[in-house]
Amino acid sequence: MESPRIAIIGATGAVGQVLIRILDQRNFPASSIRLCASERSVGKTFSVNGLEIPVETPTTELLDQVDIVFIAAGSEVSRKLAPLAV
């Protein structure tokens, strides 16, 4: 079975940072990890499983390209993106 493709929406916030640390500490077997946040954070990078991963904007296209989405954003963003992620 292929490892899942993961996205973390709200990756630069407190909860998103905890999710990144957990994935990194446990060396979670993901085939890809996408980090998403607001426009002001786009381009920042975070280390996960030894890879420097850039922050990008969450889009419906991105949601179609992943298997698991962790939404750790504010309520407005969550209300908008959660139904699309399903």
Side-chain angles (χ1 to χ4, degrees):
M1 181 164 107
E2 188 174 323
S3 297
R5 301 166 297 172
I6 297 174
I8 299 175
I9 298 174
T12 59
V15 175
Q17 289 293 293
V18 170
L19 286 167
I20 290 171
R21 278 197 306 275
I22 289 170
L23 291 176
D24 196 42
Q25 289 170 348
R26 297 183 183 198
N27 198 21
F28 192 85
S31 62
S32 69
I33 298 174
R34 312 277 294 267
L35 304 178
C36 304
S38 65
E39 287 290 329
R40 70 178 178 268
S41 297
V42 170
K44 290 181 181 178
T45 60
F46 293 92
S47 179
V48 185
N49 293 344
L51 300 172
E52 290 297 315
I53 301 175
V55 174
E56 55 189 302
T57 303
T59 63
T60 54
E61 292 82 14
L62 178 136
L63 294 173
D64 288 338
Q65 298 169 2
V66 297
D67 303 305
I68 300 170
V69 179
F70 294 102
I71 301 178
S75 59
E76 182 180 331
V77 172
S78 296
R79 273 194 293 274
K80 177 182 172 188
L81 293 177
L84 300 174
V86 173

